[in-house]
């Protein structure tokens, strides 16, 4: 995972493996908003209104700030039982302050303090290898 800054906020860029992408289907019933249709925290760009919350399945781009109280969740990509996580953990993010958990698409699990998914900023690709954060085909963020 790589972290860059946008508007003073950390933005996480995660290159997901095929196994990570496949794990998203396994937790659809456990997350509060499987298709990212809620907009309590921020409006999700149209291209991220899907299970993987991104333009490309293999690349996640989210703001690394918990929508509950603004803490910074930590990466917990390893699947399986771990302290502060369920035994059937498939990998994702844990906000250690109040226990909110997010899957590998930044979708918040049900019954957690966080009111919404991690924010997806506007972004776009310029060519195959350049990611631009803060604007997309509809303009600037």
């Amino acid at each position: 995972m790589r972290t860059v800054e946008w508007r003073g906020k950390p933005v996480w860029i995660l290159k997901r493996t095929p196994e990570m992408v496949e794990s998203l289907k396994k937790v659809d019933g456990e997350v509060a908003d499987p298709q990212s249709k809620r907009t309590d925290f921020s409006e999700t760009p149209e291209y991220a209104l899907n299970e993987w919350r991104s333009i490309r399945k293999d690349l996640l781009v989210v703001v690394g700030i918990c929508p509950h109280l603004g803490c910074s969740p930590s990466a917990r990509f390893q699947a399986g039982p771990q302290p502060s996580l369920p035994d059937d953990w498939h990998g994702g993010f844990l906000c250690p302050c109040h226990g909110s958990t997010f899957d590998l698409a930044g979708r918040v699990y049900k019954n957690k303090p966080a009111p919404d998914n991690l924010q997806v900023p506007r972004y776009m690709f310029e060519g195959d290898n350049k990611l631009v954060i803060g604007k997309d085909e509809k303009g600037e963020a």
Side-chain angles (χ1 to χ4, degrees):
M1 182 172 75
R2 182 170 178 197
T3 303
V4 297
E5 191 171 300
W6 171 68
R7 292 187 171 180
K9 299 175 184 176
V11 174
W12 296 335
I13 303 166
L14 174 63
K15 176 80 168 142
R16 293 183 284 214
T17 65
E19 295 79 20
M20 290 173 152
V21 173
E22 187 62 29
S23 76
L24 299 175
K25 293 178 182 150
K26 296 176 184 175
V27 298
D28 276 352
E30 300 173 40
V31 295
D33 183 22
Q35 298 298 317
S36 299
K37 303 225 185 250
R38 295 189 326 191
T39 58
D40 295 344
F41 179 64
S42 66
E43 188 163 332
T44 302
E46 187 175 315
Y47 45 80
L49 294 175
N50 52 50
E51 185 176 57
W52 51 89
R53 301 188 73 231
S54 58
I55 295 170
R56 293 178 12 197
K57 290 181 182 184
D58 68 326
L59 198 65
L60 175 66
V61 180
V62 292
V63 176
I65 297 176
C66 180
H68 178 227
L69 292 175
C71 304
S72 184
S74 56
R76 297 292 177 94
F77 299 148
Q78 180 181 343
Q82 298 167 55
S84 303
L85 293 169
D87 288 345
D88 62 347
W89 182 246
H90 292 281
F93 305 94
L94 167 68
C95 188
C97 300
H98 298 101
S100 291
T101 49
F102 305 87
D103 73 353
L104 290 164
R107 302 178 299 177
V108 68
Y109 280 82
K110 293 176 184 176
N111 303 315
K112 297 295 178 173
D116 210 343
N117 301 322
L118 296 177
Q119 179 186 2
V120 176
R122 283 184 170 183
Y123 70 95
M124 60 188 273
F125 292 95
E126 287 184 352
D128 291 336
N129 297 314
K130 184 175 181 183
L131 175 67
V132 178
I133 299 170
K135 71 177 186 175
D136 58 20
E137 283 75 17
K138 292 187 177 186
E140 299 284 329

